[in-house]
Amino acid sequence: MKDQLQALEKEALQKVEDASSLKELQDVRVAYLGKKGPITEVLKGMGKLSKEERPVIGELANKVRGQVAEAIDSKKAGIEAAELEKQLAEETIDVTLPGRPIPTGGPHLLTSIVEEIEDLFIGMGFEVREGPEVETDYYNFEALNLPKDHPARDMQDTFYITDEILMRTHTSPVQARTMNMIKGERSVKMICPGKVYRRDTDDATHSHQFTQIEGLYVDKNVRMSDLKGVLDRFAKQMFGEDREIRLRPSFFPFTEPSVEMDISCKVCNGEGCSVCKRTGWIEILGAGMVHPRVLKMAGYDPEEYSGFAFGMGPDRIAMLKYGVDDIRHFYTNDIRFLKQYHQA
């Protein structure tokens, strides 16, 4: 039995030495150290030995089992280390290579224009206010001196939800709501950006949905010259310090007097070209002094307070500033167009 154990030890150690993979090594472990292995079979036959031989053979059997197990563990560690080294060699990453760029988006051109205008007017002391896009007829029209039978409503036909609820046609209702909330107790200096809706047929210069920014300044002793100064600063900031402005008489129900503001054409510097239709000027926005009736409806005393208001379309400003020839480009989500202006 002693010779048998020594032969098994030699045989098992040779098998361990010859094993070249973890699977082969596991097969050796099962074959020699498993419950049905030869070493276990030898131990089962110890009952036939004398009392003197049992301790000797038992000690030898345990020694053989331990040496084989130790050899298997040592070989396993070597195989695992070799496999890891091979894997690292095959999967080497050159950390000196630049990383693959991850495409990132950017702000929409209209968002950039709106934020630029907001920053400009905040710098002049205006606050930014917002209001609902689904508006009442009263705030959208009547509070702005446009009663139900007023013909000027035809120019702002919109989408009605009920007879009294509609999609706002301008952001002026935010001005009316703000003045109503203050009730003539203090001055107000604000701009209100947002989306507006009109029943327009979409073409290169018209859209049923577009953005608008309207401004309002109401205080004591506000004059038309104040309005001109604010608009002149706006034009030079947006289009260049060499831009000139002019104010032309116009009509808006909520302002009196009313004006249209033009800027000198930056293409021809006022000389006249196809862009400005040979006039040297490009219409940019409407403005005027707040109508006394609008002030009175909002709780202001028109004998004590005066103010000016203006309204502009960021869509049009973006088209003029960046040479965009079709307003629909802003809303069709063509990435090829939009990504040109991520740094605008």
Side-chain angles (χ1 to χ4, degrees):
M1 190 173 288
K2 184 177 179 181
D3 293 340
Q4 188 179 358
L5 284 171
Q6 290 175 341
L8 286 173
E9 179 184 9
K10 184 178 180 180
E11 182 182 325
L13 291 177
Q14 186 60 49
K15 293 281 188 181
V16 171
E17 183 67 24
D18 295 341
S20 59
S21 68
L22 292 176
K23 183 181 183 306
E24 291 179 6
L25 200 60
Q26 181 62 19
D27 291 343
V28 173
R29 182 188 295 274
V30 172
Y32 287 92
L33 301 181
K35 292 180 179 180
K36 297 181 179 180
I39 296 177
T40 302
E41 291 297 325
V42 170
L43 291 174
K44 289 180 180 180
M46 287 180 61
K48 301 176 182 179
L49 299 176
S50 65
K51 292 182 180 181
E52 292 79 13
E53 290 178 314
R54 286 177 192 170
V56 176
I57 298 302
E59 181 181 356
L60 179 60
N62 288 330
K63 182 180 178 182
V64 170
R65 179 188 288 273
Q67 287 180 340
V68 172
E70 184 179 346
I72 290 174
D73 290 340
S74 177
K75 183 71 174 184
K76 179 182 179 184
I79 292 175
E80 287 178 342
E83 289 185 352
L84 177 60
E85 187 174 344
K86 180 182 177 183
Q87 183 180 5
L88 290 174
E90 292 175 349
E91 299 179 4
T92 297
I93 299 174
D94 186 351
V95 295
T96 65
L97 288 173
R100 295 182 178 87
I102 300 175
T104 57
H108 193 283
L109 179 56
L110 292 182
T111 301
S112 298
I113 289 289
V114 169
E115 290 178 350
E116 185 178 353
I117 295 172
E118 287 178 347
D119 290 343
L120 192 162
F121 281 101
I122 288 173
M124 290 192 282
F126 288 76
E127 62 176 330
V128 179
R129 287 182 173 267
E130 297 181 342
E133 295 177 19
V134 179
E135 191 53 274
T136 64
D137 182 271
Y138 174 79
Y139 280 115
N140 196 80
F141 291 123
E142 294 181 45
L144 299 170
N145 200 31
L146 279 159
K148 292 186 181 299
D149 58 349
H150 201 292
R153 285 199 180 200
D154 293 342
M155 295 184 295
Q156 296 193 25
D157 192 15
T158 185
F159 303 96
Y160 283 83
I161 299 170
T162 69
D163 289 343
E164 297 298 325
I165 304 295
L166 49 83
M167 304 300 292
R168 68 182 181 187
T169 61
H170 44 188
T171 57
S172 297
V174 184
Q175 300 174 351
R177 285 179 176 275
T178 302
M179 288 192 293
N180 251 4
M181 181 180 65
I182 296 173
K183 299 186 183 300
E185 296 175 358
R186 61 175 176 83
S187 63
V188 57
K189 195 174 186 181
M190 58 173 283
I191 60 169
C192 35
K195 286 189 290 187
V196 298
Y197 307 84
R198 297 185 187 179
R199 205 229 62 77
D200 273 335
T201 300
D202 289 6
D203 57 27
T205 57
H206 296 84
S207 174
H208 65 281
Q209 170 194 304
F210 54 97
T211 55
Q212 192 175 60
I213 296 179
E214 302 209 14
L216 174 70
Y217 178 34
V218 175
D219 204 346
K220 297 176 181 178
N221 302 316
V222 177
R223 303 179 297 270
M224 176 71 83
S225 57
D226 298 319
L227 170 62
K228 184 177 179 181
V230 167
L231 296 183
D232 184 62
R233 182 69 257 153
F234 160 75
K236 285 178 167 53
Q237 186 86 14
M238 288 298 297
F239 298 101
E241 291 293 331
D242 57 343
R243 293 303 101 213
E244 300 290 336
I245 72 167
R246 74 173 182 181
L247 302 180
R248 293 180 289 105
S250 187
F251 168 77
F252 301 108
F254 33 84
T255 54
E256 180 60 38
S258 303
V259 296
E260 298 274 3
M261 188 189 93
D262 302 332
I263 60 170
S264 56
C265 179
K266 68 174 182 178
V267 176
C268 64
N269 288 318
E271 295 297 324
C273 65
S274 59
V275 174
C276 60
K277 300 178 182 178
R278 308 296 173 184
T279 65
W281 299 91
I282 296 176
E283 180 184 331
I284 193 70
L285 58 81
M289 301 302 292
V290 180
H291 198 292
R293 194 174 297 161
V294 174
L295 290 172
K296 192 171 183 179
M297 283 190 289
Y300 285 85
D301 182 357
E303 298 295 327
E304 184 179 2
Y305 284 90
S306 57
F308 63 73
F310 55 85
M312 65 186 75
D315 305 61
R316 177 164 176 75
I317 292 171
M319 292 175 74
L320 291 173
K321 189 170 183 177
Y322 294 105
V324 179
D325 60 359
D326 195 321
I327 192 174
R328 289 170 293 193
H329 291 323
F330 296 133
Y331 301 103
T332 53
N333 295 325
D334 188 333
I335 298 298
R336 295 169 300 177
F337 168 78
L338 296 176
K339 70 181 181 181
Q340 299 177 70
Y341 303 99
H342 284 175
Q343 304 302 319

